[in-house]
């Protein structure tokens, strides 16, 4: 049996804390979740939580970032399985909206992140993950589009998708609201894609 290094143990503890944070922040929200509860759910001490994260905001940032990493990976997989760039882009947008039906994702990404992290930090993290995937998909559908036009169209479409996600998050029946919201998002995407 090999002994784990300190770095491996540290990575394991960090991963346990982020998983517990995603579970609790997703279920109860940022305000109702204490760092003590996250540490207990992760099976570590409160001191260990503060050793790995400066406090609850840092732990929330890590949970938000992990949500972004996972949805970006999923969107890339959807795109890779699509027959052409336009289908990949449309399916990716639909997949993002479908993912907004997940209560934990909605709570962390759409409802709590803007107030906890601030708009600038949220967009910075999204730009490295979900917005990056959208921009790459849009670029693949029109390689002749100038970079400045792509950046504008990408931001407009991403803003629309986030607002569509907020509509789902605030809907009394998100599942019933998904089809009409997806249809309108697809119309908007088509309009933005038209040269």
């Amino acid at each position: 049996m090999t002994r784990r290094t300190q770095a491996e143990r540290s990575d394991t503890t960090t991963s346990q804390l982020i998983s517990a944070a995603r579970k609790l922040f997703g279920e109860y929200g940022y305000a109702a979740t204490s760092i003590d509860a996250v540490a207990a759910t992760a099976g570590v001490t409160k001191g260990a939580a503060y050793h790995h994260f400066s406090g609850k905001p840092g732990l929330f940032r890590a949970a938000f970032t992990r949500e972004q990493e996972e949805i970006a990976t999923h969107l890339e997989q959807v795109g890779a399985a699509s027959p052409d760039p336009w289908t990949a882009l449309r399916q990716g947008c639909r997949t993002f909206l479908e993912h907004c039906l997940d209560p934990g994702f909605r709570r962390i990404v759409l409802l709590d992140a803007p107030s906890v992290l601030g708009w600038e930090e949220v967009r910075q993290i999204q730009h490295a993950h979900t917005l990056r995937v959208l921009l790459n998909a849009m670029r693949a559908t029109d390689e002749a589009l100038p970079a400045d036009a792509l950046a504008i169209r990408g931001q407009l479409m991403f803003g629309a998708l986030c607002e569509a996600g907020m509509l789902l998050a605030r809907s009394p029946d998100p599942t019933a609201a998904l089809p009409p919201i997806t249809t309108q998002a697809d119309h908007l995407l088509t309009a933005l894609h038209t040269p």
Side-chain angles (χ1 to χ4, degrees):
M1 185 169 97
T2 59
R3 294 185 64 159
R4 294 188 310 154
T5 66
Q6 177 60 34
E8 289 170 333
R9 288 191 299 275
S10 179
D11 288 347
T12 298
T13 301
T14 299
S15 182
Q16 289 171 315
L17 285 163
I18 293 172
S19 293
R22 286 175 68 195
K23 177 183 184 310
L24 296 178
F25 288 139
E27 188 171 343
Y28 302 109
Y30 179 80
T33 301
S34 69
I35 203 159
D36 291 10
V38 173
T41 301
V44 301
T45 65
K46 180 179 174 182
Y50 278 106
H51 173 74
H52 291 277
F53 297 96
S54 58
K56 194 164 89 164
L59 189 54
F60 182 85
R61 185 185 193 283
F64 174 77
T65 301
R66 185 67 53 86
E67 291 284 348
Q68 292 295 304
E69 291 167 349
E70 289 191 5
I71 185 63
T73 298
H74 184 63
L75 293 172
E76 289 171 333
Q77 292 166 346
V78 166
S82 298
D84 58 76
W86 177 239
T87 303
L89 177 57
R90 292 177 71 213
Q91 186 58 42
C93 290
R94 271 189 238 109
T95 300
F96 176 83
L97 292 174
E98 289 166 358
H99 201 72
C100 291
L101 295 179
D102 176 81
F105 182 84
R106 279 198 320 260
R107 168 66 70 179
I108 292 170
V109 173
L110 301 173
L111 299 176
D112 285 350
S115 61
V116 175
L117 301 175
W119 188 87
E120 289 292 333
E121 188 168 7
V122 165
R123 273 300 188 264
Q124 178 185 5
I125 295 167
Q126 289 172 328
H127 197 278
H129 302 291
T130 47
L131 181 53
R132 172 189 53 80
V133 173
L134 176 63
L135 289 170
N136 288 342
M138 292 181 81
R139 184 178 299 112
T141 64
D142 186 357
E143 294 177 358
L145 187 66
D148 57 340
L150 173 68
I152 292 167
R153 288 184 189 187
Q155 288 282 352
L156 288 171
M157 191 62 213
F158 192 69
L161 288 170
C162 291
E163 283 301 313
M166 290 298 292
L167 285 172
L168 290 169
R170 296 196 182 329
S171 170
D173 187 353
T175 304
L178 180 64
I181 289 173
T182 300
T183 298
Q184 294 306 314
D186 197 54
H187 290 325
L188 181 59
L189 180 63
T190 301
L192 281 172
H193 180 67
T194 303

